[in-house]
């Protein structure tokens, strides 16, 4: 698989949650079911060991970083082989599917995690810079280069509300010059900062760096927008081609269908000059409203993991909403908000698809 080309084509990449038992130990059966769900839903990859998987899997007392990555890789590979044998009996090669590992910490830790991910067959690492605090741009770039020497890197602009830091145009411009950079997940939840990244990558001249949205509050608009940039003195447009999202850890089948529709629109109007049907704006607003409930925006994202767990619990893909931190709980207010968006936007859900296949995935 040429994973660069795969990334550039644009795909749905769910941020993989962590299924736990009531004792807050790994629930392997439901963890495997989640991975099988994402493959069956048509996702183009998965991201494991990221914020949605819970950073605490790295705590030595928990010790789940390698086991969770290994379980996801093994399960996805097996599901893809089964899928291929069912749909293309004459083919021995599964469809392209990218496995991305979350990488965090100082340089020594991030490099160790990159080595683990590479050994387990992961194609790239999603590199968080949150641990480097207010380090200068040159320090950040050296850190990124060290990790990129081990595994291809997907940059990550994490929003400050959940532990990220501000990263300006200058950083992203230098970051884009690292040869082993393959993509950027843009997730500052800020239009100005989103434009910084798009412009920096475009002005670097790198056409082989894929842009992915992580802006859960602006998914549809990110995917539809032909961003204006100047490259080599010439006006060009750059696209955010897909998404690596916590939001896409739920209702994944609908996310795949949404991106397929966006692809058809792009193919029919590559320059984005046609009038956009206003119904797309309505869909964008509905998805953002739903995300506000799932991510618990009313409480500064305190329930951004348990909200996703609650949707998966209701679908039977998780046994409960437990996290590694007992303080993270689903409040009655957030549960009521989830009830509201489910009533308001039933078209966003893929409950029927999950119900049809759930027992197979849990088998």
């Amino acid at each position: 698989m040429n994973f660069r080309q795969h990334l550039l084509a644009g795909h749905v990449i769910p941020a993989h949650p962590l299924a736990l038992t009531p004792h807050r130990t790994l629930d392997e059966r439901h963890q495997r079911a989640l991975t099988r769900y994402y493959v069956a839903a048509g996702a183009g990859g998965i991201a494991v060991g990221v914020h949605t998987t819970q950073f605490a899997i790295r705590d030595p007392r928990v010790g789940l970083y390698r086991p969770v990555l290994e379980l996801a890789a093994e399960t996805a590979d097996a599901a893809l082989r089964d899928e291929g044998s069912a749909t293309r009996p004459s083919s021995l090669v599964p469809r392209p599917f990218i496995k991305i590992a979350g990488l965090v910490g100082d340089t020594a830790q991030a490099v160790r995690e990159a080595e683990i991910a590479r050994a387990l067959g992961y194609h790239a690492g999603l590199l968080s810079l949150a641990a480097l605090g207010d380090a200068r741009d040159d320090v950040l770039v050296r850190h990124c280069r060290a990790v990129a020497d081990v595994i291809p890197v997907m940059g990550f602009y994490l929003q400050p509300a959940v532990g990220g830091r501000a990263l300006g145009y200058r950083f992203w411009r230098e970051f884009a010059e690292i040869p082993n950079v393959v993509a950027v997940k843009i997730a500052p939840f800020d239009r100005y900062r989103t434009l910084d990244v798009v412009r920096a990558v475009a002005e670097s001249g790198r056409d082989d760096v894929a842009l992915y949205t992580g802006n859960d509050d602006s998914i549809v608009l990110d995917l539809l927008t032909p961003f204006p940039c100047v490259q080599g003195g010439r006006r060009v447009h750059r696209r955010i081609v897909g998404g690596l999202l916590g939001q896409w850890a739920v209702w994944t089948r609908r996310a795949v269908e949404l991106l397929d529709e966006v692809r058809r629109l792009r193919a029919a109007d590559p320059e984005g000059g046609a009038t956009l049907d206003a119904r797309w704006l309505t869909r964008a607003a509905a998805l953002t409203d739903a995300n506000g409930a799932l991510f618990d925006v009313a409480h500064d994202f305190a329930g951004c993991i348990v909200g996703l767990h609650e949707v998966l619990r209701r679908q039977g893909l998780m046994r409960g909403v437990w996290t590694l931190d007992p303080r993270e709980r689903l409040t009655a207010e957030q549960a009521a908000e989830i009830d509201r968006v489910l009533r308001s936007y039933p078209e966003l859900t893929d409950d029927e698809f999950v119900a049809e296949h759930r027992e197979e995935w849990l088998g």
Side-chain angles (χ1 to χ4, degrees):
M1 176 184 71
N2 185 323
F3 70 90
R4 273 192 187 270
Q5 291 180 359
H6 183 66
L7 276 171
L8 288 166
H11 292 280
V12 167
I13 303 179
H16 204 308
L18 180 67
L20 297 177
T21 70
H23 302 292
R24 303 185 195 276
T25 58
L26 178 63
D27 183 341
E28 185 173 317
R29 182 181 181 220
H30 287 81
Q31 189 74 5
R32 287 188 185 275
L34 287 172
T35 306
R36 291 168 181 149
Y37 162 51
Y38 299 135
V39 172
I46 49 174
V48 189
V50 295
H51 178 257
T52 305
T53 322
Q54 301 175 49
F55 292 139
I57 60 174
R58 296 164 170 85
D59 187 322
R61 294 168 295 181
V62 176
L64 283 179
Y65 182 73
R66 185 183 186 113
V68 167
L69 262 65
E70 188 170 16
L71 184 65
E74 173 194 312
T75 305
D77 290 347
L80 288 160
R81 287 194 298 270
D82 291 345
E83 178 185 83
S85 64
T87 60
R88 302 186 302 279
S90 62
S91 174
L92 298 177
V93 181
R95 66 176 170 92
F97 189 87
I98 190 165
K99 299 186 288 283
I100 298 173
L103 310 175
V104 307
D106 61 16
T107 303
Q109 178 180 345
V111 166
R112 282 196 304 271
E113 292 186 359
E115 290 169 344
I116 291 170
R118 184 183 63 186
L120 294 174
Y122 280 73
H123 302 96
L126 179 67
L127 182 57
S128 170
L129 301 176
L132 277 72
D134 57 357
R136 301 188 314 271
D137 287 352
D138 61 323
V139 175
L140 297 178
V141 172
R142 283 200 301 272
H143 171 80
C144 295
R145 288 186 183 278
V147 177
D149 285 342
V150 178
I151 196 169
V153 163
M154 178 183 241
F156 185 14
Y157 201 163
L158 175 66
Q159 62 158 321
V162 292
R165 51 161 290 172
L167 297 164
Y169 168 88
R170 178 186 168 190
F171 165 76
W172 290 110
R173 182 67 177 76
E174 294 184 25
F175 176 81
E177 294 178 1
I178 299 172
N180 215 20
V181 164
V182 294
V184 181
K185 171 181 172 173
I186 310 171
F189 284 45
D190 182 301
R191 304 316 291 162
Y192 300 109
R193 292 172 177 172
T194 294
L195 289 167
D196 279 344
V197 181
V198 176
R199 187 166 61 90
V201 173
E203 292 180 6
S204 75
R206 293 285 298 274
D207 292 325
D208 62 342
V209 174
L211 300 178
Y212 273 66
T213 182
N215 289 322
D216 299 80
D217 64 341
S218 191
I219 297 169
V220 176
L221 296 183
D222 275 358
L223 294 172
L224 289 174
T225 302
F227 290 88
C229 303
V230 176
Q231 190 176 60
R234 183 172 58 91
R235 177 77 169 263
V236 298
H237 292 109
R238 285 298 296 261
R239 294 277 192 178
I240 291 177
V241 296
L244 194 167
L245 294 152
Q247 174 64 51
W248 282 356
V250 301
W251 308 332
T252 311
R253 184 64 177 173
R254 292 291 172 262
V256 170
E257 293 169 354
L258 170 70
L259 186 56
D260 285 345
E261 287 186 66
V262 171
R263 282 200 192 99
R264 289 192 289 270
L265 271 180
R266 291 176 184 165
D269 182 26
E271 296 301 316
T275 302
L276 186 68
D277 190 321
R279 284 176 292 187
W280 278 102
L281 302 179
T282 301
R283 292 175 71 177
L287 186 55
T288 299
D289 188 22
N291 178 263
L294 270 56
F295 274 45
D296 197 22
V297 173
H299 300 100
D300 296 325
F301 303 94
C304 62
I305 291 177
V306 294
L308 298 175
H309 287 191
E310 174 64 6
V311 171
L312 295 167
R313 184 197 67 78
R314 294 185 189 198
Q315 291 184 318
L317 290 171
M318 294 182 83
R319 292 167 61 190
V321 302
W322 309 290
T323 70
L324 293 169
D325 184 349
R327 295 170 298 180
E328 294 182 18
R329 298 181 179 181
L330 184 76
T331 65
E333 184 179 347
Q334 187 180 7
E337 273 292 279
I338 292 172
D339 289 339
R340 177 185 67 80
V341 298
L342 288 172
R343 289 193 304 269
S344 300
Y345 315 115
E347 70 277 7
L348 295 179
T349 72
D350 62 358
D351 292 354
E352 291 183 6
F353 172 73
V354 173
E356 182 181 354
H357 299 285
R358 180 178 56 241
E359 294 310 311
E360 170 193 342
W361 300 331
L362 287 165

